[in-house]
Amino acid sequence: MLLALAVDRTGSGLWAASSVLYLTFVTHLSAQQIGVLLGAAGVAGIAGSPLAGRLAGRFPVRPLLIGCHLVRPATLTLVLLCTGFETLLSVVAVTYLGDRAAKTLEMLFATRAAGERRAAYQALSRSAANAGYGVGAGLAAIGLAVGTTDAYRALILGNALSFVVAAALVWRTGEPGGRTREVARTGGAVAAPGVVTSGRPKGPWRDRGYLRFVLLDIPMNLDDSVLGVGLPLWLVSRTSAPHALVPAFLVINTVLVVVLQLAVSKRAEGPHRAVRAVLLYGVLMFVCCALAAGAAGCGTWAAAAVLLAAAVLVTMAELMRSVSSWELAVLLAPPDERAAYLGVAGMAQSIQKSAGPPLLTGVVMAAGPVGWLVLGTVVAGLAVAQQRSCASRLGLGAAPDPAHAEPVPAQRQ
């Protein structure tokens, strides 16, 4: 399954690095059309997570995941055949819908396969995914260096091929234990302490407590936009740091995630550590935003050093969030409806991907250094709110859980 995940993300890396240039130089769309197309496709992708969760509650995960993998080669082949904006809009929207559904199904598969070791498995899966994404981006760089129409089309075909291979790898993987085993293990009750099923509304859309968690989890995913949009644009527009430093942000992120994700996951395993990790995320994001604000008043090399430090901190925040967010989404969901609940939880990341970049460019960066400080303060405050909300729902009072009362070991550097 980890190999399938790495192959999947290799294709995603190819698409991310080449799609805009393909749409520009091969299909000849304008910058405005590309923005509308990708934005609308991102909005369509939001529906992928709850749709996948609902289906996974009724059908086995493996055939659903194979189906999502096979939908995308079909739509990407249509991308090569279509030239009109309206047609491309619908095709790319379906591609994004399948992409988000596949990501949710992959996490459901991992949750069921790993059981109580889901945090460690999540860490391994993120390391595999980031490694694959880096390979895909590297392969795309070769094609982009050639720069011909055939080279751009070859990259799109390479993306489509990666999903076919991923589907074949998933087909060879056994179906994980699912809904029946989860209910049997917990006797039909919620596994996490303090979550009561009696009187709880049926389904995630009527569960206000869980919807509050998902709503608060949207800004808990802003590290993605800060790294990919905020820091690069801030560097080139408001500091004198060398522009060649921008790729280093992605390199730092990829290397740290691959090397440290498994070790960091130990900080978010179990309810107590997962809840504490939310607070640490808020602290890391606040310091990162403060550094970004301060970089505007620094000289060339000082600004470069400060922004590199901010990239390290936002990556560490991502490491904490990527495990704790899913761990809490699982712990807060009743086992007998876990697939549907996790499908709704998966919307947080999709919504952030659509709303995060405009927030950073249109509000935070427009306000200057003050905008960064306000962003860091708001995210830290929301982290406290989410920590308290999750602790209350999980029944984590003053008395520590003996299984998780030991101090968290220091992170190796």
Side-chain angles (χ1 to χ4, degrees):
M1 185 61 193
L2 291 175
L3 180 58
L5 188 66
V7 172
D8 180 342
R9 296 303 189 275
T10 299
S12 298
L14 285 170
W15 172 262
S18 61
S19 58
V20 171
L21 294 180
Y22 175 85
L23 294 171
T24 299
F25 296 114
V26 179
T27 61
H28 305 292
L29 297 184
S30 67
Q32 183 179 12
Q33 287 176 317
I34 293 173
V36 172
L37 185 149
L38 295 180
V43 173
I46 294 174
S49 292
L51 177 61
R54 185 174 182 83
L55 290 174
R58 300 182 178 183
F59 305 100
V61 173
R62 188 179 66 156
L64 290 174
L65 181 54
I66 292 173
C68 286
H69 282 324
L70 294 180
V71 163
R72 290 177 287 174
T75 56
L76 287 170
T77 302
L78 290 175
V79 167
L80 294 174
L81 300 176
C82 298
T83 56
F85 171 75
E86 294 79 7
T87 307
L88 281 170
L89 177 61
S90 60
V91 170
V92 175
V94 174
T95 303
Y96 275 54
L97 180 71
D99 182 72
R100 291 309 310 170
K103 285 181 170 57
T104 297
L105 291 170
E106 285 166 347
M107 293 312 305
L108 285 169
F109 194 104
T111 298
R112 293 176 176 179
E116 298 305 315
R117 298 294 298 170
R118 56 183 168 267
Y121 194 98
Q122 162 75 334
L124 288 172
S125 66
R126 278 191 53 77
S127 296
N130 276 268
Y133 197 89
V135 170
L139 293 174
I142 299 174
L144 296 179
V146 176
T148 64
T149 298
D150 288 339
Y152 288 130
R153 288 174 175 161
L155 293 176
I156 302 300
L157 284 174
N159 186 15
L161 179 61
S162 73
F163 298 133
V164 175
V165 175
L169 291 171
V170 173
W171 179 74
R172 296 182 60 184
T173 304
E175 178 76 24
R179 184 173 180 267
T180 302
R181 191 175 72 182
E182 286 175 339
V183 175
R185 185 172 63 243
T186 59
V190 178
V195 183
V196 181
T197 57
S198 59
R200 178 182 53 77
K202 186 70 173 178
W205 295 106
R206 298 182 180 180
D207 190 335
R208 293 184 180 180
Y210 200 84
L211 290 178
R212 181 166 57 249
F213 162 76
V214 175
L215 183 62
L216 290 171
D217 210 43
I218 297 173
M220 296 296 104
N221 280 272
L222 274 172
D223 55 89
D224 177 70
S225 293
V226 168
L227 178 73
V229 178
L231 292 182
L233 289 180
W234 188 251
L235 182 148
V236 300
S237 64
R238 299 297 291 269
T239 76
S240 57
H243 292 186
L245 201 66
V246 170
F249 296 155
L250 180 59
V251 172
I252 289 172
N253 179 264
T254 301
V255 171
L256 288 180
V257 168
V258 172
V259 173
L260 297 178
Q261 183 70 80
L262 185 59
V264 173
S265 70
K266 296 177 181 178
R267 292 181 175 269
E269 212 167 27
H272 282 271
R273 289 177 175 175
V275 167
R276 287 199 297 265
V278 174
L279 289 179
L280 182 56
Y281 176 87
V283 172
L284 290 169
M285 285 296 292
F286 175 80
V287 178
C288 167
C289 292
L291 288 176
C298 297
T300 299
W301 296 111
V306 168
L307 288 176
L308 285 175
V312 171
L313 287 173
V314 75
T315 298
M316 295 305 297
E318 176 193 344
L319 289 169
M320 300 302 300
R321 183 265 307 163
S322 63
V323 180
S324 66
S325 179
W326 193 258
E327 180 78 356
L328 288 171
V330 172
L331 290 170
L332 294 171
D336 59 331
E337 297 182 74
R338 186 166 284 169
Y341 272 69
L342 294 183
V344 173
M347 293 178 62
Q349 189 176 14
S350 302
I351 294 173
Q352 186 282 140
K353 284 184 176 295
S354 296
L359 172 68
L360 284 166
T361 57
V363 180
V364 175
M365 294 179 61
V370 174
W372 282 103
L373 293 174
V374 171
L375 176 66
T377 302
V378 170
V379 171
L382 292 175
V384 173
Q386 189 181 59
Q387 184 268 339
R388 291 180 177 177
S389 176
C390 292
S392 175
R393 182 175 171 105
L394 291 169
L396 304 180
D401 184 347
H404 300 281
E406 72 279 8
V408 178
Q411 172 67 49
R412 292 184 179 181
Q413 300 295 330

